[in-house]
Amino acid sequence: MTEYGRGRGSEPWHPEDPLYGDQGWTGHQTQQGQAPYGGDQQQYPQEQQYPQEPQYQQQPQQPQPQYPQHPQYVEQQHQGYAPQQPVYDSQGWDTGQGQYMGAVQTDPYVAADAYASQPIPVYPGDAPDLYTTEDAYPPPQPPGRRHLEPEPVEEVDEESEDSFFAGGGGGGGRGDDDGDGDEPGGGRRSGRSKGGKPKKRSGTACLLAAVVIIGVVGGGGYYGYSYLKARFGAAEDFAGEGTDEMVDVEIPKGAGLGQMGRILKDAGVVASAQAFVDAANANPKGKSIQPGVYPMKKKMSGAAAVALMIDPSKLNVITIGEGWRNAKVYEAIDKKLGKPEGTTRDIAQRDAKNLGLPAWAGNNPKLIDPLEGFLYPARYDLSKDSTPESLLKQMVKNATDKYTELGIETKAKELGLENPLQVVTVASLVNAEGKNHEDFRKMSEVVYNRLKKTNDVTNQKIEFDSTYNYIKGKSDINFSIKEARALDHPYNTHYVKGLPPGPIGNPGADALSATLNPDHGGWMFFVSVDGDKTTFTKTYEEHQTLVAEFLERQKQKNGG
């Protein structure tokens, strides 16, 4: 007998059989013939009955007889069963007659009842019939009634199932004392030890778990509160204009409001970056804050910090304007650093050669100031470590870097100039006389045309009023041309031919660019009749007409 208790057929009897699942069952198809296992199964008449005869006439060393309609396959005689060929009804389903029948062994010396209903076991001590025992599989059911019964769910004690607090157990044991005992197969369902004693919870484990839970919940609550406060609550802020303690705060170029706020917070100026950002967003000029160094008080409110920083005059910087003369730059440095008047000028004259001038600068003995033209116009951030020397060095470096970038050493020869210093000199004249980039380009054309040897109108004299004013340290537009032409000075272009020995100011980027790229319009003269717009002419006659108009306006303006 097999584990499932039936012979070779098209469908096993129990769903757990791997061959389970025949098709086409009909209600009348069930086990036919006798119930071989002694169960009270309903008998159905067979389609064809065969007279009951003794199944075997056992003779020594003779094969077993077979039924004509039911050929049997004799397999391994010592196993005690012989498979029968399955029999199918008219609908093609197994009728159940092809069963595994234990070979009935009869005693050849004792008369056997051929029609005995009780089978004789093949061997003494044969395995019990699994279909008559307590663990027997149920008889086959029609396909319409077949279904897999769900496995019963074992009720588990909520207080003990795989509890973290159960002590000593490594297999998810239960920690209570009412376990149900061992399960089949050696596994234990309850948490009892093999000795029957209940497992005890570990006090250390409970304490550790409590600490972990409190830490997780507490930490999560703290960070959650911090997040909600930062996200939805009012930002932490100081009140008032701050303390008397001062600190320099440097805002780099390209910094946004958030970065500014973090820099101020780190310096102790504001209580939080968000307070500064909120105040800047609330101020119409809040996004116009410039980079630079700001002298600020500590513990300022966000609004007070923003109010200070939107005022450019509050920046701890010094700004050198385009065209400024060195004398004006020296005064600005002394004032910004709180130095006595003349301090920076004396340092410049004394240490000019040690401030980083290029090799082609400062060699002409007629120069009034070797640093003229090399204090590059820009904004310079100051700190508590700033000195006149450090500022002068930075300005000279910026100018030298700019001149190198423009390639003035090469451009000087292309423009017909003697050296790079003359390029800077022309740019300083252009910056002093012109008002915008368009003026600068035409102005540089005027300079180059007047320097030409073919110039028989001004005889190679530049005749720029700005050079006379440079000598006098003034910026007057009303002065006597007769006096200017009579002044013998190397910088006076009304008196000498050609360019002055050096620049008369510090040209900016526009003037430098225009000097390297003149207009080429053939301009020779210019005049600003109304003091605002500059008019350029090519002939002296046109120029004289404009000069007469300018003088008339000046006469009316002065009440004459």
Side-chain angles (χ1 to χ4, degrees):
M1 178 180 298
T2 65
E3 181 182 355
Y4 294 97
R6 64 169 293 170
R8 295 185 181 179
S10 61
E11 182 237 357
W13 284 7
H14 192 271
E16 292 186 2
D17 192 318
L19 298 179
Y20 171 79
D22 65 343
Q23 303 294 329
W25 178 281
T26 58
H28 70 279
Q29 290 174 325
T30 183
Q31 178 77 15
Q32 297 184 9
Q34 63 181 5
Y37 301 106
D40 295 334
Q41 299 180 4
Q42 184 177 357
Q43 300 294 327
Y44 291 87
Q46 297 181 352
E47 294 180 359
Q48 183 177 0
Q49 296 292 334
Y50 296 93
Q52 296 292 336
E53 297 178 359
Q55 293 183 353
Y56 300 96
Q57 296 294 330
Q58 187 171 7
Q59 299 295 333
Q61 297 181 352
Q62 290 186 2
Q64 298 177 357
Q66 301 178 353
Y67 293 104
Q69 290 84 0
H70 301 282
Q72 297 181 350
Y73 297 89
V74 179
E75 296 179 359
Q76 299 181 359
Q77 190 73 20
H78 67 277
Q79 292 183 355
Y81 64 86
Q84 292 183 348
Q85 185 70 22
V87 180
Y88 300 89
D89 64 0
S90 61
Q91 295 183 358
W93 303 106
D94 184 3
T95 62
Q97 292 180 354
Q99 305 173 13
Y100 286 86
M101 300 292 295
V104 180
Q105 183 176 8
T106 58
D107 189 349
Y109 301 101
V110 179
D113 184 1
Y115 300 98
S117 60
Q118 297 296 329
I120 300 174
V122 178
Y123 299 105
D126 193 6
D129 186 354
L130 295 180
Y131 285 89
T132 59
T133 63
E134 182 179 355
D135 296 330
Y137 292 111
Q141 298 292 329
R145 299 182 183 178
R146 296 177 186 173
H147 59 86
L148 292 174
E149 293 292 337
E151 295 184 0
V153 179
E154 181 183 358
E155 295 185 359
V156 181
D157 187 352
E158 295 181 356
E159 297 181 355
S160 59
E161 179 64 22
D162 292 336
S163 174
F164 175 82
F165 302 105
R174 293 167 52 157
D176 56 2
D177 298 333
D178 56 351
D180 294 334
D182 297 345
E183 291 183 348
R188 298 187 62 85
R189 185 176 60 194
S190 69
R192 295 178 180 175
S193 62
K194 293 182 179 180
K197 296 181 179 180
K199 298 179 180 179
K200 297 182 180 179
R201 293 183 176 90
S202 171
T204 303
C206 294
L207 178 61
L208 177 60
V211 171
V212 171
I213 292 174
I214 293 174
V216 171
V217 174
Y222 171 76
Y223 286 109
Y225 169 76
S226 300
Y227 172 79
L228 292 176
K229 181 179 179 182
R231 182 68 177 83
F232 302 105
E236 185 179 359
D237 197 5
F238 293 128
E241 299 296 324
T243 65
D244 294 334
E245 185 178 0
M246 299 294 295
V247 61
D248 287 337
V249 178
E250 182 175 0
I251 302 299
K253 292 182 179 180
L257 293 178
Q259 184 178 356
M260 293 181 188
R262 290 189 292 272
I263 293 173
L264 292 173
K265 181 181 182 301
D266 293 341
V269 175
V270 296
S272 65
Q274 190 61 46
F276 174 81
V277 173
D278 292 343
N281 288 328
N283 193 310
K285 298 182 179 180
K287 295 184 179 179
S288 64
I289 297 175
Q290 301 179 21
V293 178
Y294 293 84
M296 306 185 74
K297 298 179 179 180
K298 287 193 172 183
K299 296 187 177 181
M300 300 178 70
S301 67
V306 171
L308 183 147
M309 296 176 72
I310 60 176
D311 184 358
S313 64
K314 301 298 182 181
L315 277 169
N316 192 17
V317 299
I318 181 171
T319 302
I320 307 303
E322 294 185 1
W324 279 19
R325 299 171 186 167
N326 279 9
K328 187 175 182 178
V329 176
Y330 300 149
E331 291 176 2
I333 294 175
D334 287 343
K335 183 177 181 180
K336 195 68 178 181
L337 296 182
K339 302 295 182 180
E341 184 178 352
T343 300
T344 305
R345 181 192 64 226
D346 294 342
I347 293 173
Q349 292 178 351
R350 182 180 67 246
D351 299 330
K353 295 182 179 180
N354 300 322
L355 296 176
L357 288 172
W360 46 264
N363 297 324
N364 192 331
K366 296 182 179 180
L367 291 171
I368 295 177
D369 186 349
L371 294 182
E372 194 76 68
F374 290 90
L375 304 182
Y376 191 73
R379 194 185 78 184
Y380 296 88
D381 296 328
L382 304 179
S383 67
K384 61 182 180 180
D385 298 325
S386 296
T387 63
E389 293 89 346
S390 66
L391 285 174
L392 292 175
K393 286 182 179 180
Q394 183 62 45
M395 293 175 183
V396 171
K397 181 180 184 304
N398 286 355
T400 303
D401 291 345
K402 186 63 176 180
Y403 299 154
T404 302
E405 176 187 342
L406 295 174
I408 64 174
E409 292 188 58
T410 303
K411 293 291 183 69
K413 295 180 180 179
E414 296 177 2
L415 296 170
L417 300 176
E418 296 178 4
N419 52 60
L421 183 61
Q422 286 193 339
V423 177
V424 181
T425 302
V426 172
S428 69
L429 295 173
V430 166
N431 213 145
E433 295 284 350
K435 297 181 181 301
N436 50 55
H437 187 70
E438 184 179 354
D439 281 358
F440 294 159
R441 293 193 66 200
K442 292 180 178 180
M443 203 75 68
S444 64
E445 175 71 5
V446 170
V447 173
Y448 293 135
N449 286 334
R450 290 188 181 185
L451 289 175
K452 290 180 180 179
K453 295 180 179 181
T454 58
N455 173 20
D456 56 2
V457 179
T458 64
N459 296 316
Q460 300 179 16
K461 290 182 180 180
I462 303 298
E463 294 186 343
F464 276 16
D465 295 348
S466 55
T467 59
Y468 181 79
N469 284 329
Y470 179 75
I471 298 169
K472 297 295 183 176
K474 299 179 180 181
S475 298
D476 296 337
I477 60 174
N478 294 317
F479 59 86
S480 172
I481 295 297
K482 184 179 180 180
E483 290 180 3
R485 290 176 178 174
L487 179 61
D488 184 4
H489 193 283
Y491 276 82
N492 183 11
T493 58
H494 285 285
Y495 184 85
V496 299
K497 293 182 179 180
L499 294 170
I504 62 172
N506 294 283
D510 277 352
L512 286 165
S513 176
T515 299
L516 299 176
N517 299 280
D519 180 75
H520 297 296
W523 311 112
M524 283 290 292
F525 304 94
F526 63 91
V527 64
S528 178
V529 177
D530 58 1
D532 184 25
K533 182 180 179 180
T534 304
T535 303
F536 293 85
T537 60
K538 299 179 182 180
T539 65
Y540 183 71
E541 290 74 17
E542 292 175 325
H543 175 64
Q544 284 297 99
T545 302
L546 294 175
V547 169
E549 183 180 349
F550 168 75
L551 293 175
E552 182 63 25
R553 289 195 179 203
Q554 291 297 113
K555 184 178 179 180
Q556 294 177 358
K557 182 178 180 180
N558 296 329

